[in-house]
Amino acid sequence: MSEYVLLRHRQIPNLNRLEVYQANGGFAAFRKVLTEMQPADVLNEVKTSGLRGRGGAGFPTGMKWSFLPNTLWPHYVVANGDESEPGTFKDREILENNPFQFLEGLMIASYAVQANLSFVYLRGEFWQIGKQLERCIATLERAGLLGENILGTGYSLRLVVHMGAGAYICGEETALLESIEGKLGQPRLRPPFPAVAGLYNRPTVINNVETLTNLPPILANGAGWYRSLGTEKSPGVKIFSLSGCVRRPGNYELPLGSTFRHLIEELGGGALEGRRLKAIMPAGASSSLLRVDDRVLDTPMDYESVAALGSQLGSASVIVLDDSVDLKWLLNKTVHFFKHESCGKCTPCREGTYWMSHLTERLALPGEAHPGDAELLLAVARQMQGKCLCALGEFSTMAVTTAMQLFPEEFAER
Amino acid sequence: MNALLERYPDEVKAILARYPQEQKRSAVMPLLYLAQRERGVITVKDMAEIGELTGMEITEVGSIVGFYTLYHDSGPRFRVQVCTDLPCALRGADEFLKRLCENIGVRVGEPTADGSLVIEEVTCLAGCHHAPMFQVQGDGEITYHEDQTVESATETIAELRRRAAGGEHE
């Protein structure tokens, strides 16, 4: 690894202190943006950089911003720090150790769409992080980088931290907005999209923490520099959260397009003693499984290449499974997660996860399965697909259908 | 009288001031955390008072308490919440939880005899690379405990029970 773009605290001690962050180039991008660039210039630079949303969907960030109508005001920006996908712990490392780069990114995004009030939505469990961010925001207010008439430019911005309270679904952007509005975290019907009718029914940008943290280096070094990293369609760097059956789990910042083999074997140290890699879940519990072979291991981890294998890069939370893992046990784990986290709004998800959990429980316990349970599980999963307002219901079926398709021998009745 | 407002006048006003003036309802979640801070639970009276402050019906406030897992209307002062989701389970979290409960002499979800704490099983806490891990919720705080052993967790629990027995509040 040469120089970190996002996890810079690993090379610069005390980067969570404003003076240290500023001594290392911090807020140079924000100053430049505010004093030398029009909002449209910022938007164009981000569009040109090819930055794509790091929360999972990979949607082009600049394009997302460009959907906000300039006829409806005020505009809002919301940072999504609800990080709750099993296997994902990248935003947490940024927020804990490099909070000012994240906040600078949020401030640049706010300027680009001319928002004067922006929110940071954090999962409630990030209580300590929330306290730290509030201290950081107060520091920025004292330093004149937040508040009224920032740097004498006439632009004003206030940031508010809003703590969630334990609900995976609030990572879904419309459920997140409902939660800030003081309602149950349940997804909205779209259209209208948040870009037109978002927070308080006003045009809203929602960007993931990691996405926003990419903005200061992009604005400081230019879109061309950013595009020199990663691949043509998936430019830039990404934090890969590696967990499960590997020797060295943790966050690894790599250019998009690095291979699974490089992450899992070279950086992660490969399988544990005497074990063999069996499958990979590249996008946390929501992933389609990949059965490990040389072709999969040598696949570049970018949005297109992982999709071509029939899975998803998502938020790049790579869970590694070895030959000691019983896939029926695994499905019971993932299905129970989604059953617990289903918000209950859409019937196929609420009922489907409930019935799938009964079946996976029986399948996971030796001698408990009824004849036909595996087929029934697959049938329930397929009936849920494409029938819910948000992706949670769909996510709950991904591991089920792909595990049964790729490892049929594990589900054969004995 | 609004007891919550009387007890924490500055904090209540600061919370309401965070959101646009006509969007008082947004303050319901931080106000619920405030109400829960001292006793670890939110009472029906708290809900009524928060309803008054945010312009919500008490049933609407109650539905928020019911929907989000970090709000509680009953239970002990401390909650030791062990993650047993897939990534943690791949690194021994289920066995960790089982042995921890045996060591303390309780079952998952059942408060200890002294009523000071409960050990619970929860979903992912974004600490997958530091499993086994748990969080402690209580006294208006949440703290993470990572790279745990049954011994270190048992010691943390003993410390929490000492705090509860001594009536000590931070």
Side-chain angles (χ1 to χ4, degrees):
Chain A
M1 186 77 211
S2 47
E3 281 207 1
Y4 282 107
V5 175
L6 306 170
L7 303 177
R8 294 178 70 215
H9 56 276
R10 292 186 176 187
Q11 286 164 331
I12 306 168
N14 301 318
L15 197 59
N16 62 352
R17 284 166 41 193
L18 181 60
E19 66 276 19
V20 176
Y21 181 65
Q22 293 205 99
N24 286 278
F27 287 100
F30 181 65
R31 285 172 197 274
K32 173 174 142 187
V33 161
L34 239 66
T35 55
E36 297 171 24
M37 295 173 79
Q38 292 300 312
D41 303 333
V42 182
L43 194 150
N44 277 333
E45 193 71 17
V46 173
K47 256 190 185 170
T48 311
S49 77
L51 176 66
R52 297 170 62 171
R54 301 295 192 236
F59 193 83
T61 304
M63 196 188 293
K64 197 174 194 179
W65 294 358
S66 71
F67 294 148
L68 270 68
N70 276 327
T71 47
L72 281 172
W73 298 91
H75 292 175
Y76 293 105
V77 177
V78 179
N80 186 344
D82 191 56
E83 185 163 65
S84 307
E85 178 68 36
T88 313
F89 40 86
K90 62 186 182 65
D91 297 338
R92 182 183 158 201
E93 181 169 349
I94 293 172
L95 293 164
E96 283 179 341
N97 302 290
N98 194 6
F100 284 111
Q101 186 171 331
F102 155 67
L103 290 171
E104 186 180 2
L106 174 57
M107 290 154 70
I108 291 170
S110 302
Y111 176 78
V113 300
Q114 290 292 290
N116 301 117
L117 173 60
S118 294
F119 290 87
V120 181
Y121 188 94
L122 292 183
R123 62 177 299 174
E125 292 83 354
F126 286 174
W127 189 260
Q128 308 294 341
I129 293 173
K131 294 284 143 205
Q132 173 177 257
L133 275 187
E134 282 178 348
R135 286 193 296 272
C136 291
I137 290 168
T139 305
L140 290 174
E141 284 167 354
R142 281 195 301 275
L145 290 165
L146 280 175
E148 302 291 318
N149 189 22
I150 301 167
L151 304 172
T153 58
Y155 178 65
S156 302
L157 177 63
R158 189 160 69 85
L159 299 184
V160 169
V161 177
H162 186 95
M163 301 303 294
Y168 167 80
I169 188 63
C170 290
E172 194 282 328
E173 60 182 18
T174 60
L176 186 156
L177 297 177
E178 291 285 297
S179 185
I180 297 181
E181 291 183 4
K183 299 170 188 161
L184 304 188
Q186 293 186 319
R188 297 176 181 169
L189 179 68
R190 278 155 292 196
F193 289 90
V196 178
L199 185 63
Y200 308 130
N201 209 24
R202 285 290 177 272
T204 303
V205 165
I206 302 139
N207 283 147
N208 170 260
V209 165
E210 184 186 352
T211 311
L212 292 166
T213 308
N214 274 282
L215 296 174
I218 289 174
L219 273 303
N221 305 322
W225 163 80
Y226 198 71
R227 292 202 78 100
S228 72
L229 306 164
T231 69
E232 194 188 337
K233 286 183 176 163
S234 300
V237 293
K238 177 85 192 75
I239 303 175
F240 294 85
S241 295
L242 181 65
S243 69
C245 311
V246 284
R247 286 172 204 259
R248 289 189 293 274
N251 285 321
Y252 295 93
E253 178 184 315
L254 299 170
L256 281 158
S258 307
T259 63
F260 282 109
R261 191 187 297 282
H262 178 57
L263 173 70
I264 295 170
E265 295 193 339
E266 288 163 34
L267 299 172
L272 303 175
E273 184 71 38
R275 307 264 190 85
R276 199 173 45 78
L277 297 182
K278 174 176 176 175
I280 301 170
M281 302 179 79
S286 301
S287 316
S288 298
L289 266 66
L290 293 171
R291 187 168 182 148
V292 168
D293 57 23
D294 283 337
R295 185 179 70 111
V296 165
L297 285 174
D298 290 322
T299 298
M301 295 183 291
D302 56 57
Y303 297 102
E304 296 71 29
S305 305
V306 180
L309 288 178
S311 187
Q312 309 80 25
L313 184 64
S315 56
S317 26
V318 179
I319 305 176
V320 177
L321 309 170
D322 69 21
D323 56 358
S324 72
V325 178
D326 172 3
L327 291 184
K328 296 195 285 288
W329 170 87
L330 176 130
L331 293 188
N332 194 36
K333 279 282 176 195
T334 60
V335 166
H336 266 80
F337 172 78
F338 290 108
K339 174 192 162 227
H340 183 263
E341 299 298 343
S342 174
C343 79
K345 184 165 181 167
C346 309
T347 311
C349 175
R350 183 183 66 240
E351 293 293 315
T353 53
Y354 174 81
W355 287 106
M356 283 204 301
S357 76
H358 277 286
L359 293 164
T360 56
E361 241 167 62
R362 289 209 299 251
L363 285 164
L365 286 171
E368 290 294 313
H370 301 182
D373 270 359
E375 290 73 19
L376 185 55
L377 175 64
L378 192 59
V380 175
R382 289 195 173 138
Q383 288 175 78
M384 292 169 66
Q385 292 177 339
K387 295 193 179 70
C388 306
L389 281 184
C390 84
L392 191 150
E394 197 90 5
F395 286 162
S396 74
T397 68
M398 306 303 257
V400 173
T401 55
T402 53
M404 294 181 75
Q405 181 200 335
L406 296 172
F407 298 88
E409 65 279 10
E410 298 210 14
F411 296 88
E413 280 173 25
R414 273 161 275 192
Chain B
M1 287 314 281
N2 197 301
L4 192 70
L5 180 60
E6 272 190 12
R7 201 161 47 180
Y8 306 105
D10 297 342
E11 280 177 89
V12 169
K13 281 173 204 156
I15 287 170
L16 289 167
R18 282 182 210 165
Y19 303 95
Q21 214 168 4
E22 65 288 3
Q23 305 293 348
K24 278 193 196 148
R25 186 174 172 143
S26 280
V28 64
M29 292 180 72
L31 289 173
L32 285 170
Y33 277 124
L34 186 63
Q36 189 171 265
R37 185 190 290 171
E38 268 182 41
R39 291 179 310 272
V41 293
I42 296 158
T43 63
V44 172
K45 187 163 173 289
D46 292 328
M47 293 183 212
E49 290 174 357
I50 290 172
E52 212 176 278
L53 292 166
T54 55
M56 294 165 73
E57 295 296 330
I58 184 171
T59 49
E60 291 176 315
V61 180
S63 72
I64 301 288
V65 175
F67 184 85
Y68 294 96
T69 59
L70 291 176
Y71 298 131
H72 313 287
D73 56 11
S74 62
R77 178 164 156 192
F78 296 111
R79 292 166 188 271
V80 174
Q81 302 182 314
V82 180
C83 174
T84 56
D85 238 327
L86 177 63
C88 280
L90 289 170
R91 303 186 79 83
D94 287 318
E95 182 63 19
F96 168 81
L97 176 64
K98 184 168 159 268
R99 287 186 45 221
L100 179 63
C101 285
E102 282 167 7
N103 228 6
I104 307 295
V106 290
R107 277 194 276 191
V108 175
E110 284 179 12
T112 49
D114 61 4
S116 61
L117 66 86
V118 61
I119 301 177
E120 297 174 321
E121 205 173 349
V122 296
T123 53
C124 191
L125 298 174
C128 322
H129 51 328
H130 292 299
M133 60 88 61
F134 60 89
Q135 67 179 4
V136 176
Q137 189 187 9
D139 290 354
E141 291 268 315
I142 293 173
T143 48
Y144 273 33
H145 299 259
E146 301 184 296
D147 299 309
Q148 291 290 299
T149 61
V150 172
E151 292 69 36
S152 63
T154 303
E155 181 43 45
T156 302
I157 287 173
E159 174 59 28
L160 293 171
R161 295 177 83 169
R162 276 196 295 275
R163 268 168 67 185
E168 174 205 334
H169 272 272
E170 279 184 1

